[in-house]
């Protein structure tokens, strides 16, 4: 199933030659495995959909690896199915989301179609340790951390304990999950307010509440716990001291099977709405170099401490005084990995695959001193949401789509084309737009220009809101924190946009109803004209119907339907 492992003639940085058969070499570093073997991956199944599935397929194609897609019944016409070399239906008869969570069927499809490895993408099963273990038990390689690390990092309490053990600064908080409002009140009385309630067994902003008044503790705890239980099946909460006016800084990491770990610098994800990231920047603007060095060093130390392998992100909160505190580890690839790729020039997905094959970071030339950031990159998540209606998701058919492109612009999407159906079943992400330039202002200018070139008709998008963000002087100066959107209500002042077709139709309608509005206006109604319709001999009829009679059929000419008398 996994193919023949390829030999190495030395520990050099060259790629193993294809004629060599098998070899293992030994290392003696810390407590990591002493045997590392290189086994090429010939096929990858992506247990996901949409934009991230296509992103992985493209990396596989460039590496000469066969790509395999799965799709739900609702996604049978979706673009990610077309981009893979092969695609297979999963979860027939199941609800749309549950189809992509069907572990036994995903494993069956992989086994029946000679798949070597599985990439989980982000979301769905990407942080499920049971899925990672199921892949390994089936003889498949899981392109991600080990099941043990996935489980450890997915548990906020265990991740916190690991951070403390690695010497990483953490926010004061409960030592374990809290299940009752009485325990929450006890913590608040002991440590003072404000505090934040966070779901102990989930993330993404769900089950999260900030408490600033003692009389709100019980009510907000119950709300957060109920939301967490509905989203993750467990209402246990983790309570931490709330850091005022923090920046959300995250460090991109990569580890190999030999125990090497490097960082690819940091990203600023402070522009958030309801704890959901909207715009991401790499590297973090106006971050003190000394703070950057300490954050990246502690992130690497944590990864080495837990034996981290493959891609991952360590997230921190940083305050105005230069203090920073560990939040969590995302044991997967993240949506915003693109900005890190742009500033470092390194394909993180291809690196993930190479690590899963057994390549070491030094062999790929990825030693820390060789990784240097160049310029600034910004990512905007263009979503099919209406910012004028509190970002309510919009669905329907995209009638017109024109993207913004050009130098320094990258587009990662899956449903961004005319005729695409935006369904209500999945995430509202339409396309990720990434701009890269020499400095933050130039990158923002490229992004602004690209977004203004977009034309999307048929569904609403958040582009008007994103343009307001990009033109905000505080954003352009790089002075950001997680209160940015909340404290700038002018971002929601959205001018009503009218395209040229709408303007023309409005004008014609006004003239027909009210008459001309020029200085030569007249109260006379437009003349009634009966256009002459030429007769068409029956021998030239292309209607293709046996009952078609002369001069009684419908002629479809160039998309214009004419009813002949």
């Amino acid at each position: 199933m996994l193919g023949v492992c390829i030999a190495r003639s030395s520990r050099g940085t060259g790629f193993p030659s294809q004629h060599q058969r098998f070899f293992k070499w030994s290392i003696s570093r810390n407590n990591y495995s002493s045997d590392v073997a290189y086994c090429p991956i010939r096929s990858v199944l992506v247990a996901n959909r949409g934009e991230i599935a296509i992103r992985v397929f493209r990396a596989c194609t460039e590496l000469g690896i066969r790509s395999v897609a799965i799709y739900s019944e609702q996604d049978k016409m979706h673009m990610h199915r077309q981009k893979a070399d092969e695609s297979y239906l999963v979860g027939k008869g199941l609800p749309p989301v549950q189809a992509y969570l069907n572990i036994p069927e995903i494993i069956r499809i992989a086994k029946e179609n000679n798949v070597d490895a599985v990439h989980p993408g982000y979301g769905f099963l990407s942080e499920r340790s049971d899925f990672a273990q199921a892949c390994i038990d089936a003889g498949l390689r899981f392109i991600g951390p080990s099941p043990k690390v996935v489980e450890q990092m997915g548990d906020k309490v265990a991740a916190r304990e690991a951070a403390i053990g690695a010497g990483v600064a953490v926010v004061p908080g409960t030592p374990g999950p809290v299940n009752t409002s009485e325990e929450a009140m006890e913590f608040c009385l002991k440590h003072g307010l404000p505090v934040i309630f966070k779901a102990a067994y989930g993330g993404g902003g769900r089950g999260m509440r900030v408490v600033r008044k003692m009389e709100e503790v019980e009510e907000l705890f119950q709300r957060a716990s109920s939301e967490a239980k509905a989203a993750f099946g467990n209402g246990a909460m983790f309570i931490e001291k709330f850091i005022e006016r923090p920046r959300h800084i995250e460090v991109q990491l990569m580890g190999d099977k030999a125990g090497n770990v490097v960082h690819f610098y940091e990203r600023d994800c402070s522009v958030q709405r309801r704890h959901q990231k909207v715009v991401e920047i790499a590297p973090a603007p106006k971050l003190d170099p000394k703070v950057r060095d300490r954050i990246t060093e502690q992130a690497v130390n944590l990864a080495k401490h837990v034996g981290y392998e493959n891609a991952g992100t360590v997230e921190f909160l940083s305050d105005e005084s230069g203090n920073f505190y560990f939040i969590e580890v995302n044991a997967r690839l993240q949506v915003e990995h693109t900005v890190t790729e742009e500033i470092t020039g390194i394909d993180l997905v291809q690196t993930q695959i190479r690590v899963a094959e057994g390549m070491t970071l030094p062999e790929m030339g990825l030693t820390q001193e060789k990784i240097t950031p160049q310029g600034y990159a910004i990512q905007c998540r263009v979503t099919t949401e209406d910012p004028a209606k509190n970002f309510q998701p919009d669905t329907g058919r995209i009638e017109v789509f024109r993207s913004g492109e050009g130098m320094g612009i990258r587009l990662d999407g899956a449903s961004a084309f005319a005729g695409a159906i935006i369904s209500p079943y999945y995430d509202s992400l339409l396309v990720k737009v990434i701009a890269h330039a020499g400095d933050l202002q130039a990158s923002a200018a490229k992004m602004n220009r690209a977004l203004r070139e977009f034309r999307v008709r048929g569904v609403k998008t958040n582009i008007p809101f994103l343009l307001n963000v990009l033109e905000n002087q505080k954003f352009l100066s790089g002075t950001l924190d997680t209160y940015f959107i909340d404290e700038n209500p002018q971002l929601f002042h959205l001018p009503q946009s009218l395209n040229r077709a709408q303007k023309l139709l409005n004008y014609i309608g006004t003239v027909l109803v009210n008459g001309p509005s020029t200085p030569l206006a007249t109260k006379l109604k437009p003349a009634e004209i009966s256009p002459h319709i030429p007769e068409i001999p029956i021998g030239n009829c292309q209607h293709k119907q046996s009952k078609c009679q002369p001069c009684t059929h419908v002629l479809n000419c160039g998309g214009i339907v004419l009813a002949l008398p």
Side-chain angles (χ1 to χ4, degrees), residues 248 268-281 335-336 339 378-383 385 387 391 429 431-434 447 451 462-470 475 482 484-486 491-492:
H248 188 133
D268 189 313
C269 304
S270 300
V271 182
Q272 302 179 4
R273 180 181 172 274
R274 296 180 179 176
H275 305 291
Q276 298 287 336
K277 300 166 187 175
V278 177
V279 179
E280 297 98 354
I281 306 170
V335 181
E336 59 272 21
V339 289
I378 300 173
Q379 175 178 280
C380 287
R381 306 185 190 193
V382 177
T383 61
E385 298 173 330
F391 290 86
L429 178 65
V431 60
K432 300 189 307 193
V433 185
I434 304 95
M447 179 67 76
L451 291 180
N462 65 337
I463 288 178
F465 176 79
L466 294 172
L467 288 171
N468 284 349
V469 171
L470 292 165
F475 177 87
T482 55
F484 172 75
I485 290 179
D486 294 335
L491 299 175
F492 294 90

Side-chain angles (χ1 to χ4, degrees), residues 428-450:
S428 59
L429 178 65
L430 179 65
V431 60
K432 300 189 307 193
V433 185
I434 304 95
H436 183 212
D439 56 49
L440 179 62
Q441 291 73 28
S443 184
K446 282 185 180 293
M447 179 67 76
N448 191 315
R449 185 267 304 162

Side-chain angles (χ1 to χ4, degrees), residues 114-184:
N114 297 317
V115 167
D116 293 340
V118 174
H119 194 299
Y122 52 71
F124 291 132
L125 296 169
S126 61
E127 293 182 273
R128 288 270 298 270
S129 60
D130 56 339
F131 179 56
Q133 189 62 57
C135 291
I136 294 171
D137 292 344
L140 305 166
R141 269 174 281 181
F142 182 76
I143 303 178
S146 67
K148 179 182 178 182
V149 171
V150 173
E151 181 178 15
Q152 184 181 16
M153 295 299 100
D155 183 332
K156 286 184 172 58
V157 177
R160 177 185 172 88
E161 292 175 351
I164 294 172
V168 178
V170 298
V171 180
T174 54
V178 171
N179 293 286
T180 66
S181 57
E182 289 77 14
E183 294 175 278

Side-chain angles (χ1 to χ4, degrees), residues 383-563:
T383 61
T384 52
E385 298 173 330
D386 187 354
K389 295 183 179 179
N390 198 29
F391 290 86
Q392 176 180 323
D394 197 14
T395 59
R397 182 187 184 93
I398 298 180
E399 302 296 341
V400 175
F401 182 84
R402 185 167 77 242
S403 64
E405 300 168 356
M407 179 180 177
I409 296 296
R410 165 180 169 181
L411 304 177
D412 280 24
S415 301
F417 58 92
I421 302 297
I422 305 301
S423 78
Y425 305 119
Y426 302 107
D427 185 81
S428 59
L429 178 65
L430 179 65
V431 60
K432 300 189 307 193
V433 185
I434 304 95
H436 183 212
D439 56 49
L440 179 62
Q441 291 73 28
S443 184
K446 282 185 180 293
M447 179 67 76
N448 191 315
R449 185 267 304 162
L451 291 180
R452 289 188 180 280
E453 289 183 11
F454 270 76
R455 294 293 183 273
V456 184
R457 306 292 178 235
V459 294
K460 295 286 187 180
T461 73
N462 65 337
I463 288 178
F465 176 79
L466 294 172
L467 288 171
N468 284 349
V469 171
L470 292 165
E471 293 172 359
N472 183 278
Q473 290 303 311
K474 188 175 180 181
F475 177 87
L476 292 173
S477 69
T479 308
L480 302 172
D481 56 47
T482 55
Y483 289 87
F484 172 75
I485 290 179
D486 294 335
E487 293 183 346
N488 288 276
Q490 70 274 18
L491 299 175
F492 294 90
H493 296 167
L494 308 169
Q496 185 176 5
S497 62
L498 292 174
N499 60 45
R500 285 172 295 202
Q502 286 175 316
K503 291 178 181 177
L504 180 60
L505 289 172
N506 285 341
Y507 173 75
I508 294 174
T510 300
V511 170
L512 288 174
V513 173
N514 303 316
S517 58
T518 65
L520 300 177
T522 174
K523 295 183 178 180
L524 296 176
K525 296 294 182 180
E528 293 185 5
I529 301 174
S530 298
H532 171 70
I533 302 175
E535 294 184 1
I536 299 176
I538 190 170
N540 294 332
C541 176
Q542 299 178 6
H543 194 46
K544 308 300 183 185
Q545 290 190 13
S546 59
K547 295 183 179 180
C548 185
Q549 300 298 324
C551 302
T552 61
H553 62 274
V554 174
L555 173 65
N556 189 324
C557 180
I560 302 175
V561 178
L562 302 175

Side-chain angles (χ1 to χ4, degrees), residues 91-336:
K92 184 176 182 179
L94 292 177
V97 173
Q98 292 300 316
Y100 290 102
L101 300 177
N102 192 328
I103 295 176
E105 192 165 352
I106 293 173
I107 298 297
R108 177 187 62 78
I109 291 172
K111 295 281 287 183
E112 289 179 356
N113 294 282
N114 297 317
V115 167
D116 293 340
V118 174
H119 194 299
Y122 52 71
F124 291 132
L125 296 169
S126 61
E127 293 182 273
R128 288 270 298 270
S129 60
D130 56 339
F131 179 56
Q133 189 62 57
C135 291
I136 294 171
D137 292 344
L140 305 166
R141 269 174 281 181
F142 182 76
I143 303 178
S146 67
K148 179 182 178 182
V149 171
V150 173
E151 181 178 15
Q152 184 181 16
M153 295 299 100
D155 183 332
K156 286 184 172 58
V157 177
R160 177 185 172 88
E161 292 175 351
I164 294 172
V168 178
V170 298
V171 180
T174 54
V178 171
N179 293 286
T180 66
S181 57
E182 289 77 14
E183 294 175 278
M185 180 65 75
E186 183 180 346
F187 178 88
C188 294
L189 290 171
K190 180 178 180 180
H191 295 277
L193 297 177
V195 301
I196 185 169
F197 298 152
K198 299 165 64 175
Y201 299 101
R206 297 187 178 184
M208 188 176 289
R209 295 290 189 280
V210 176
V211 185
R212 299 182 182 278
K213 299 178 181 179
M214 282 295 181
E215 54 268 28
E216 295 178 342
V217 171
E218 184 174 353
E219 179 185 355
L220 292 181
F221 181 88
Q222 295 299 338
R223 287 186 181 183
S225 181
S226 297
E227 187 175 325
K229 186 171 183 179
F232 312 113
N234 192 317
M237 305 304 296
F238 190 66
I239 307 177
E240 293 178 344
K241 279 286 291 181
F242 184 67
I243 309 302
E244 295 284 7
R245 310 204 66 84
R247 297 178 68 180
H248 188 133
I249 307 294
E250 58 186 34
V251 179
Q252 177 69 60
L253 299 174
M254 186 72 69
D256 63 20
K257 296 178 182 296
N260 301 301
V261 178
V262 296
H263 68 79
F264 298 98
Y265 292 88
E266 81 290 346
R267 302 183 284 256
D268 189 313
C269 304
S270 300
V271 182
Q272 302 179 4
R273 180 181 172 274
R274 296 180 179 176
H275 305 291
Q276 298 287 336
K277 300 166 187 175
V278 177
V279 179
E280 297 98 354
I281 306 170
K286 291 189 174 180
L287 184 65
D288 187 322
K290 295 181 180 178
V291 175
R292 171 178 290 118
D293 291 343
R294 287 175 18 232
I295 286 181
T296 53
E297 180 185 8
Q298 290 198 14
V300 170
N301 288 344
L302 174 57
K304 290 183 176 180
H305 179 74
V306 299
Y308 199 96
E309 176 190 327
N310 217 277
T313 304
V314 184
E315 301 196 351
F316 296 90
L317 291 180
S318 174
D319 64 21
E320 296 174 330
S321 301
N323 301 311
F324 58 88
Y325 306 94
F326 168 80
I327 309 175
E328 62 182 352
V329 173
N330 285 302
R332 55 173 170 80
L333 196 68
Q334 287 193 281
V335 181
E336 59 272 21

